[in-house]
Amino acid sequence: MPDAPPAMPRSLWAATAPPAPPTAPLRGEARTGVAVIGAGYTGLSAALHLAEAGIPCTVLEAAEIGWGASGRNNGQVIPTLSRADPDAIVASVPRELGGAEKGEALVGLIRDSAALVFELIRKHGMRAEAVQNGWLQPAHRPSRMRLVESRVRQWARRGAPVRLLSREEMAALAGSGHWHGGWENPTGGRINPLGFARGLAGAAIRAGAVVHTRSRVTALAREGTGWRLATPEGALRAERVILATNAHTPPGLWPGLHRSVVPVRSYQMATPVLSDNIRGTILPGGHALSDTRGDLHFFRFDAEGRLVTGGGLILPLGWEGRIRRRIGARLARVFPQLGEVRFDYVWWGYVGGTADRLPHVYELAPGVLAWTGCNGRGVALATALGRELARASAGVPAREIAAPVETRLRTVFGHRFRALGIAWQVARNRWNDRRD
Ligand SMILES: Cc1cc2nc3c(=O)[nH]c(=O)nc-3n(C[C@H](O)[C@H](O)[C@H](O)COP(=O)(O)OP(=O)(O)OC[C@H]3O[C@@H](n4cnc5c(N)ncnc54)[C@H](O)[C@@H]3O)c2cc1C
């Protein structure tokens, strides 16, 4: 008997998202044009765009639609990377991968990525609780306003409709005097993340894609001019392959790919539905918010009025009690009007980290594509990169893809000791957050 696939973890989103479209495991032998491994935003966006271009494709998912980061995240739709700003992104692309021109193409992809998510939700009528009222990034220290000003300048130069906010403006939009000003990108917002994953799957299936759940790919091997993907109950032959497994990439699926990304736990939690009185005082404009800290403070409401937040821990030991206390104390500091805070839902997921905090798109072999490294900002990015992977699989040359396409894997040094590296990084983030 093959191992039973893991069930969908308990979370706010699992409790509130509309049901997934019906799917079944792959049984027996099948053929397709493009095989997509993983049914998160990357895989499902790739499948939707392939199917809309008339290219046969089949998604194989080990567990359920949105089982990975795509069904567990905070649902903040953010058109930026977590660390690198546009100038740094442009400077990071070496000449042999397209240099500044390719860097600007990637910046353009990120700039338009949140708009793409909301456009797909509208176009396909997805029930994803989408609210495109903007994303806020407040500065957690007065000195961080310099970083904020530089961000606003860099994005404005690339045509993003960004706005600098004074301390008073931010206090009014956040419903808290905790921060020192900040900036806004009105193309961002919030969604029910599992609702979006399930909506993407429904749209992809309607467009002609095939999606098999409970179909873990156990082996991927060359066969003739194409590839053979083995699952516990079947096999799929495909001309091309997209590996959309990101932070959940298992060792052995492709040599070294799992070492290109470090899975870092991010804890999520949701309060009970808050009273209208309290709700009206916190994020009254319906924004999503994540601040400038490395140990990120992030908040948003869901459709029914629960405040959805979370954080990181240095060590996972005894995580549930510790994260409840830590984030409870944080909420009391940032939004004292909340009074005593309870959490009805607490869950966690893996964010995919890379050493340089940048996403990397790979052509692992002719016709085999992958990307890793959302570094915590992947709702919009994975959706947009999924589209680019679909274009590349459809034969669009690498020079026209809006991201550098690398052929050599960038594995993370010391990957085997990643638990230590993560603990050190979280501690270092907290230390840096207290300094100017
Ligand atoms: C807790 C948390 C909070 C976050 N909050 C935000 C946020 O608010 N805003 C934001 O922009 N980003 C956020 N992110 C990041 C964002 O969720 C991810 O970048 C994005 O969902 C990645 O999508 P993906 O499709 O690439 O990967 P995933 O959604 O992780 O999908 C990978 C899939 O591959 C499948 N898989 C693995 N191995 C196999 C195999 N052998 N065969 C078949 N299938 C396989 C897995 O089961 C999984 O479903 C957060 C992430 C986490 C974990």
Side-chain angles (χ1 to χ4, degrees), residues 271 299 307 309 327-336 338 341 343:
T271 66
F299 310 96
L307 192 57
T309 180
I327 304 304
R330 176 180 296 173
L331 283 183
R333 267 195 315 276
V334 178
F335 300 114
L338 278 171
V341 184
F343 296 104

Side-chain angles (χ1 to χ4, degrees), residues 6 22 40 45 52 55 62 72 79 97 109 111 116 175 180 193 198 238 241 256 259 280 284 305 312 332 387 412 422:
S45 168
E52 284 186 333
I55 295 167
R72 309 184 195 201
L97 292 178
L109 177 104
R111 178 197 59 215
L116 172 69
H180 303 270
R198 289 176 173 173
V241 180
R259 279 188 277 112
R387 183 192 61 195
V412 175
I422 293 166

